[in-house]
Amino acid sequence: MTSSLSPHRALQQFIKKAKELLGESAVLYDEVDLLVYEQDGTLAVRGKAYAVVFPRSVDEMAKAVELAYNYGIPIVGRGSGTSLSGGATPIKGGVIVSTARMNKILEVDLDNEVAAVQAGVINDWINSYLARMGYQYPIDLGYQYAADPGSQRVSTIGGNIAHNSGGVKCFKYGVTVNQLRGLTVVLPNGEVRRIGGKEFEQAGYDLIGLLTGSEGTLALVAEAVVRVVPTYETTVTIMAKFNDLAAAGRAVSAVIASGAMPVAMELMDKLAVEAVESGPYAAGLPRDAEAILLIQVEGSPPGARDEAAKVAEVLRRNGAAGVEIVEDPARAAKIWAARKQAFGAMGFVGPNYVVEDGTIPRKKLAEALMIARAAGAKRGLRVANVFHAGDGNLHPLILYDERRPGEREKAIEAGEEILEACVELGGTITGEHGVGYMKKKLLPKMYRKEEIELMKAIKTVFDPKGLMNPGKIFP
Amino acid sequence: MTSSLSPHRALQQFIKKAKELLGESAVLYDEVDLLVYEQDGTLAVRGKAYAVVFPRSVDEMAKAVELAYNYGIPIVGRGSGTSLSGGATPIKGGVIVSTARMNKILEVDLDNEVAAVQAGVINDWINSYLARMGYQYPIDLGYQYAADPGSQRVSTIGGNIAHNSGGVKCFKYGVTVNQLRGLTVVLPNGEVRRIGGKEFEQAGYDLIGLLTGSEGTLALVAEAVVRVVPTYETTVTIMAKFNDLAAAGRAVSAVIASGAMPVAMELMDKLAVEAVESGPYAAGLPRDAEAILLIQVEGSPPGARDEAAKVAEVLRRNGAAGVEIVEDPARAAKIWAARKQAFGAMGFVGPNYVVEDGTIPRKKLAEALMIARAAGAKRGLRVANVFHAGDGNLHPLILYDERRPGEREKAIEAGEEILEACVELGGTITGEHGVGYMKKKLLPKMYRKEEIELMKAIKTVFDPKGLMNPGKIFP
C-alpha cells in the first residue's frame, strides 16, 4: 500500500477496505452521518472527519489504524467526545476511531484487585458492576451518586486515560494514571503493544506513564487494566456554608492541615449553587451562601463518624457560617447529585457558557476565585466556580449569551486570562480535559521551547508520519 | 570542547575542570578512593570508575554532567548504592555522579501536602522530619520502625525514583511513582528540566512517569517534590503463624478478598524467621511456623481496632495456626524491626546469599514460593523467602557458601530460574531494584524485540551519545 494516491482516492480505498475488515456497519462516511463528529464537548472548534470506524476489539482497532496509517490518513481517537479542549475533534480531517463498540468489562480479578476493560467502557459502568462485590474504581463518586439521565459521567476509560483525568475522589485516591496497571495500545502503524498487566511495577521504561495523558498523539488505547479497591462500610458527608469566598478557600487549607483524610472536597460558589437549586436536581443547598464546601469522609461506622465530627469542628473554627453532617445516604446522594449536575444546570442562569479547566496550588484558591470572577466582570460576564480541592482543579463556568455579538469571544478571552493566571499562581492550564486544540497556544506559558522540543521528539519516536491526532497539544 | 582527545587526556581534563567547578574536595580520582565505588549492593558485578564527583546542588550536578558529556565520558548516577542489579556499578567505566552531598530537605508545604527534597536525601529522613508534624512519606514504615544502626533503609529518594521502588506500605499507598509531583532532572548534555511541581497533573506528556524507573539511563534526578500524607492516629499489627506455606499464601488472598485495607502485609518463611530470631533483632517471632504473616492496619483508635479484629478473624478462618493482635507500639516496633532486618540476619543461617527481586500476581504466591524453594533444593541450596504482598514482590534469599567452588554460580542460576518462573506466572523480573546489569539478559523474556526497540528509541531522544549508565537495562 502507498500514500502516493490522491487524498480522495486514498480515502475511497480506505473506506472500501475498512468495510471488508470491520464490516459494513462499522464504517460511516455519509456526510450526514459525519455531522455529529464535527465537534466534541468544545463548542468553539469544528473539523470534518472523512470517515468514522467502530472497531469491536483490539485486533479490529489495529487493522483500522494500520489501514489509515498506510494511506497517510490522520487518525483521531474518540470515546464519548466530552473533551473541553477539542481533543476529539478532527481539525485536520482524517479518520475517527470510535471506541463506542469496545464497551466490554473483560475481567474482574479481586484477588489482584484489578479489572480489565475495553477502552470504550464508561467510567461509571465499572463502579455499577463492582458495587455488589463491595469494590469500586476509585476515581469518582460511584454509580449510586449518578443522576441519570443527564449525568455528566458519560466519559470513557479510554478518554480518561488519554487525558489523565481527575475525579471527585482523587484527593484520596489519585488521578487516572495512579489507577493503571496495564495498557493495550495500538501504535500508529497498527502494531499492538501490551504494557504491564496486573502488576504494580514494570521492568524497563514506564510507557504507561508516558502514554497516559498523551491525548491520542502517540497511540490509541484499546484496553486497560485498572486497580479496584474495597468500598468502605460507611461514608459521611459534611456540608458547610460560607458568607465569604476567601474564607471558604482558607477552610479547605485548614481541613487539609488538620490531618483529616477526606475522600472528596468540592467547592461551589453562589452562582453555581443558584444554578443547581433552580433545576430538577435541587437538593436544598443554601442559596444565601457565598460558597459551600462538600466533603466526604469514609471508614468503619465509628471511624467515619469520628472523622466527620473532626472535619466539622475544623470548618466551624475556620469561618463556616453553618455546618451540616449528613449521615443519611439518601440525602447525601441527593447533595452529591446536585454537585455533579452543576455544569448541566448552568442553563438555568444563562443561555451559554464556556467552562475552563485549570489547576492551582490549593493555597491559592481564594486568589484564583477572585481572579476568575474579575476576569468575567470586566467583560460584563458572570462566572460561576466549581473547584475540586483534591487535585486543585478549578472549573470556572463563564456565562455568555451567543445572541449578543462578540460575547462568546469575550468569554473565551476571559477563560484564557484565567488559565494564564493559574500558571502564574504556580498551576497548570489543564486539570483533566487536556491541552488539545484549544489550549495549545498556552503550552509555551508552561514549558520552555527545549522542553516542548523534547516532547515532540518523543512523539516522533511513536508517530514518525505525524498522523496521530494532528494539530493537538503542540503549538 | 571535544571528545576527539584520547580517553586518558579527556579524563585528565575532566578532573581538572571538575575541580575548578565543584571544588577540590568534590572530586575523587585516586585509585584507592575509587575502590569502594567498584560495586553496589550487587556482589556479583564490578566496574572501575574513572572518577567520582559530589555535586551539592542542581547547578553543580548540571555542570558535572555537561562536562563529562562533552568529553564523551559515561555518566553513572549513584545514591546509596543499594542496587541489587548492578545499577550503580560503572561497568563501562566513566564518572560516578554521587548524590551524597545533595542531602537537604528543601521545603515542606503541608498546605499542598508535598515536600521538596534533594535526590540524596535518605528515604527515612523525610519521615523522621515529618513525624512531629503528624505527616509521613508513605512508602515505608516510618522512622520509628528503623532499627539503627544496620537499618536497610539507607536508600535515597533519587535511587528510589531511578528504580520506582516499592516499600512495605505500597499495598495501600502505591509505589514511588505514585508519590511524585515534580522532578528536577539533569539531561545528559547538562540541561536542567523542571517537570511538574506541587500539582497532581501536568499538561503535555508525563515525563515524570517516563523518567521514574529509567535507572539513570535517560537523565539524572537532582530534586523531587513528593507527596506527604497525614499519619493515622492508631496502627495495629496482626501477626499470624501458619504450619503450611501454601496456606499462608491463600490467607493473603483471603485478607484481600475480605475487603480489608491493610497498610502493609508481609510474609516471612521459616528460614527467614529463623535468621532474624538468631540475631540481635529477635522479636519472639514463632520459629516453629512454616510461615508468618505480618499485617498492619491503621485508622482512628476504634476504626483500627475494628479492622484488626476483622483481619484476625479472616486469618483464623483461613488456616492460621495462631493469630496475635499487637496494639502495644513498642512490641509492634520490635516485630517490624525484625522484619526489616531479615536480609541482614541471613548471616546467621549461611555465609553468603543472593537476593532476588521479582513480582508475581498475588494469587500465584504459594506456587512461586514452592518454585523458589525447589530451585534452590535441586542445587543443594537453601532458600529463604520474604514477600511484600502489597506489590506482589517476592524476595528469595538464596544461601550459598562462596568457599565452595561453583556454589555462587549455582545460586545465581537458581535466582535466574526463579525470575523466569515469575514471568511465566504472569509477573516481572524486578520489583524495586531494577533491571540494571544483572537482569538485562532477562528483558527479552518480558518484552518482544519491537518493544525493546521502542524503549531504545526513547533513550536515544534523551541520550543520543549513549553515555547515561551504559550497559544497563538493554541486552
Side-chain angles (χ1 to χ4, degrees):
Chain A
M1 272 183 273
T2 161
S3 55
S4 65
L5 296 170
S6 75
H8 178 72
R9 185 93 184 95
L11 176 64
Q12 281 187 321
Q13 296 256 345
F14 171 83
I15 290 169
K16 181 168 166 284
K17 292 196 179 159
K19 288 201 284 190
E20 284 165 21
L21 290 167
L22 274 63
E24 287 277 338
S25 75
V27 186
L28 293 184
Y29 50 94
D30 183 274
E31 286 238 355
V32 175
D33 289 336
L34 295 178
L35 264 180
V36 291
Y37 294 94
E38 285 187 9
Q39 288 195 313
D40 55 30
T42 325
L43 302 182
V45 53
R46 283 175 179 270
K48 270 189 200 302
Y50 311 148
V52 185
V53 294
F54 297 90
R56 269 159 295 227
S57 63
V58 176
D59 186 48
E60 286 191 359
M61 182 188 268
K63 282 179 182 158
V65 168
E66 182 184 9
L67 197 59
Y69 184 81
N70 284 342
Y71 282 117
I73 301 172
I75 296 153
V76 181
R78 185 179 179 108
S80 296
T82 57
S83 167
L84 296 177
S85 59
T89 299
I91 58 160
K92 307 225 167 188
V95 169
I96 287 179
V97 179
S98 165
T99 57
R101 292 186 191 173
M102 295 178 71
N103 55 9
K104 308 252 176 339
I105 294 173
L106 301 167
E107 186 193 358
V108 171
D109 172 355
L110 293 185
D111 208 61
N112 286 303
E113 298 196 306
V114 292
V117 299
Q118 285 188 305
V121 165
I122 303 293
N123 183 316
D124 207 36
W125 292 353
I126 308 179
N127 280 320
S128 66
Y129 188 85
L130 289 171
R132 66 193 157 86
M133 306 171 197
Y135 273 77
Q136 59 173 326
Y137 173 61
I139 200 87
D140 215 306
L141 279 174
Y143 85 109
Q144 70 271 37
Y145 295 102
D148 55 330
S151 164
Q152 61 172 299
R153 278 171 305 115
V154 296
S155 65
T156 62
I157 291 291
N160 295 169
I161 294 168
H163 295 88
N164 192 19
S165 301
V168 168
K169 286 191 174 177
C170 67
F171 186 80
K172 178 163 180 179
Y173 292 102
V175 292
T176 299
V177 72
N178 303 125
Q179 320 305 329
L180 297 177
R181 294 280 184 271
L183 284 184
T184 302
V185 299
V186 175
L187 297 181
N189 65 2
E191 287 180 28
V192 174
R193 295 282 176 273
R194 292 180 202 277
I195 311 161
K198 295 178 176 179
E199 298 309 296
F200 263 81
E201 290 166 286
Q202 294 307 316
Y205 297 153
D206 176 15
L207 300 178
I208 293 178
L210 178 62
L211 290 165
T212 304
S214 65
E215 304 186 26
T217 64
L218 301 178
L220 293 189
V221 175
E223 292 176 2
V225 180
V226 300
R227 75 158 175 166
V228 302
V229 301
T231 306
Y232 277 96
E233 227 173 312
T234 309
T235 61
V236 178
T237 293
I238 304 109
M239 178 165 66
K241 56 181 267 192
F242 291 84
N243 296 329
D244 172 12
L245 199 52
R250 287 192 300 268
V252 167
S253 293
V255 169
I256 293 165
S258 76
M261 295 245 204
V263 184
M265 180 146 50
E266 297 277 309
L267 180 145
M268 292 168 76
D269 72 0
K270 193 184 182 76
L271 190 52
V273 170
E274 187 188 325
V276 293
E277 287 300 316
S278 305
Y281 294 102
L285 306 182
R287 295 175 82 142
D288 58 331
E290 275 304 313
I292 65 166
L293 281 184
L294 291 178
I295 298 176
Q296 191 185 73
V297 297
E298 64 184 6
S300 63
R305 253 176 243 134
D306 187 51
E307 179 97 347
K310 277 181 200 157
V311 168
E313 180 52 32
V314 172
L315 292 169
R316 283 191 201 99
R317 277 203 317 266
N318 284 276
V323 181
E324 185 189 352
I325 295 180
V326 184
E327 288 198 32
D328 172 31
R331 170 134 173 78
K334 208 170 168 190
I335 290 172
W336 284 104
R339 159 60 196 90
K340 299 296 288 181
Q341 292 304 317
F343 286 23
M346 282 298 135
F348 294 104
V349 290
N352 309 93
Y353 67 90
V354 166
V355 55
E356 275 304 349
D357 165 44
T359 74
I360 45 162
R362 283 188 293 247
K363 204 168 194 161
K364 302 290 177 69
L365 173 55
E367 208 174 323
L369 293 173
M370 298 305 170
I371 290 171
R373 199 170 271 193
K378 77 180 182 196
R379 294 175 177 89
L381 304 175
R382 292 191 299 166
V383 179
N385 275 294
V386 169
F387 179 73
H388 307 309
D391 53 350
N393 190 190
L394 194 67
H395 282 307
L397 297 137
I398 306 150
L399 296 167
Y400 69 96
D401 185 340
E402 70 177 2
R403 293 163 301 188
R404 292 193 201 137
E407 215 167 270
R408 174 165 146 179
E409 290 67 30
K410 278 185 200 167
I412 291 172
E413 211 178 86
E416 286 174 2
E417 188 177 316
I418 296 168
L419 290 182
E420 287 181 29
C422 286
V423 176
E424 272 161 40
L425 292 171
T428 72
I429 56 171
T430 171
E432 56 193 354
H433 299 279
V435 177
Y437 173 76
M438 294 299 287
K439 295 180 180 177
K440 63 183 187 173
K441 68 179 175 186
L442 294 171
L443 203 69
K445 303 259 174 207
M446 293 196 61
Y447 295 100
R448 285 180 300 166
K449 192 170 156 289
E450 304 79 43
E451 287 161 337
I452 294 172
E453 290 307 317
L454 183 65
M455 291 184 197
K456 280 185 173 173
I458 292 171
K459 177 170 167 67
T460 303
V461 167
F462 284 81
D463 180 23
K465 291 195 200 169
L467 292 177
M468 298 302 284
N469 211 0
K472 306 294 171 66
I473 299 186
F474 301 109
Chain B
M1 271 184 274
T2 159
S3 54
S4 65
L5 297 170
S6 75
H8 178 71
R9 185 92 185 94
L11 176 64
Q12 280 188 322
Q13 295 255 347
F14 171 84
I15 289 169
K16 181 169 167 282
K17 292 196 178 160
K19 288 202 283 190
E20 285 165 20
L21 290 167
L22 274 62
E24 287 277 338
S25 76
V27 186
L28 294 184
Y29 50 94
D30 183 273
E31 286 238 356
V32 175
D33 290 337
L34 296 179
L35 264 180
V36 291
Y37 295 93
E38 285 187 9
Q39 286 194 315
D40 54 31
T42 324
L43 303 182
V45 54
R46 283 174 177 272
K48 270 188 200 302
Y50 311 148
V52 185
V53 295
F54 298 89
R56 269 158 295 228
S57 63
V58 176
D59 187 47
E60 287 191 358
M61 183 188 267
K63 282 178 181 158
V65 169
E66 182 184 8
L67 198 58
Y69 184 81
N70 284 341
Y71 282 117
I73 301 172
I75 297 154
V76 181
R78 186 179 178 109
S80 297
T82 57
S83 168
L84 296 177
S85 59
T89 299
I91 58 162
K92 307 224 166 190
V95 168
I96 287 178
V97 178
S98 165
T99 56
R101 293 186 189 173
M102 295 180 69
N103 54 10
K104 308 253 176 339
I105 293 172
L106 303 167
E107 186 194 358
V108 171
D109 172 356
L110 292 186
D111 208 60
N112 285 303
E113 298 196 305
V114 292
V117 299
Q118 286 187 306
V121 165
I122 303 292
N123 183 316
D124 207 37
W125 292 354
I126 308 178
N127 280 320
S128 66
Y129 188 85
L130 289 171
R132 64 193 158 85
M133 306 170 197
Y135 273 78
Q136 60 174 325
Y137 173 60
I139 199 90
D140 214 306
L141 278 175
Y143 85 110
Q144 71 271 37
Y145 296 102
D148 54 330
S151 164
Q152 62 171 300
R153 278 171 306 115
V154 296
S155 65
T156 62
I157 290 292
N160 294 169
I161 295 168
H163 296 89
N164 192 19
S165 301
V168 168
K169 285 190 176 180
C170 67
F171 186 81
K172 178 165 179 177
Y173 292 103
V175 293
T176 299
V177 71
N178 304 125
Q179 321 304 328
L180 298 176
R181 294 278 184 273
L183 285 183
T184 302
V185 299
V186 175
L187 297 182
N189 65 1
E191 287 181 26
V192 174
R193 294 281 175 274
R194 291 180 203 279
I195 310 161
K198 296 179 176 179
E199 297 309 298
F200 262 81
E201 290 166 285
Q202 295 306 316
Y205 298 154
D206 176 16
L207 300 178
I208 293 178
L210 178 63
L211 290 164
T212 304
S214 65
E215 304 187 26
T217 63
L218 301 178
L220 293 189
V221 174
E223 292 176 3
V225 180
V226 300
R227 74 158 175 165
V228 302
V229 301
T231 307
Y232 277 94
E233 227 174 312
T234 310
T235 61
V236 179
T237 293
I238 303 109
M239 178 165 65
K241 58 180 265 192
F242 291 85
N243 296 328
D244 173 11
L245 199 53
R250 286 192 300 268
V252 167
S253 293
V255 169
I256 293 166
S258 77
M261 295 245 204
V263 185
M265 180 145 51
E266 297 277 308
L267 180 145
M268 293 168 75
D269 72 1
K270 192 182 182 77
L271 189 53
V273 170
E274 187 189 324
V276 293
E277 287 300 316
S278 305
Y281 294 102
L285 306 182
R287 295 174 84 141
D288 58 331
E290 275 302 313
I292 64 166
L293 281 183
L294 292 178
I295 298 175
Q296 191 185 73
V297 298
E298 64 185 8
S300 63
R305 253 177 244 135
D306 186 50
E307 179 97 347
K310 276 181 203 158
V311 168
E313 180 52 32
V314 172
L315 292 169
R316 282 190 203 102
R317 275 203 318 265
N318 284 275
V323 181
E324 185 189 352
I325 294 180
V326 184
E327 287 197 32
D328 172 30
R331 170 134 173 78
K334 210 170 164 190
I335 290 172
W336 284 103
R339 158 62 195 89
K340 298 297 288 181
Q341 293 304 317
F343 286 22
M346 281 298 135
F348 295 103
V349 289
N352 308 93
Y353 68 90
V354 167
V355 55
E356 275 304 348
D357 164 45
T359 74
I360 44 162
R362 284 187 292 247
K363 204 168 194 164
K364 302 290 176 69
L365 173 56
E367 207 174 325
L369 293 173
M370 298 305 169
I371 289 170
R373 200 171 270 192
K378 76 180 184 199
R379 294 174 177 89
L381 304 174
R382 290 192 301 166
V383 179
N385 275 295
V386 169
F387 179 72
H388 307 307
D391 54 351
N393 189 190
L394 194 67
H395 282 307
L397 297 137
I398 305 151
L399 296 167
Y400 69 95
D401 185 339
E402 69 178 3
R403 293 162 302 187
R404 293 194 199 133
E407 214 166 272
R408 172 165 147 179
E409 290 66 30
K410 278 186 199 166
I412 291 173
E413 209 178 86
E416 287 174 1
E417 187 176 318
I418 296 167
L419 290 182
E420 287 181 29
C422 287
V423 175
E424 272 161 39
L425 292 171
T428 72
I429 56 171
T430 172
E432 56 193 354
H433 300 280
V435 177
Y437 172 76
M438 294 299 286
K439 295 181 180 176
K440 64 184 185 173
K441 67 178 175 186
L442 294 172
L443 204 67
K445 302 258 174 209
M446 293 196 60
Y447 295 100
R448 283 180 301 165
K449 192 170 156 288
E450 304 80 43
E451 288 161 338
I452 294 172
E453 290 308 316
L454 183 64
M455 292 184 196
K456 280 185 172 172
I458 292 172
K459 176 170 167 68
T460 303
V461 168
F462 284 81
D463 180 23
K465 291 196 200 168
L467 292 175
M468 299 302 284
N469 210 1
K472 307 294 170 67
I473 298 186
F474 300 109

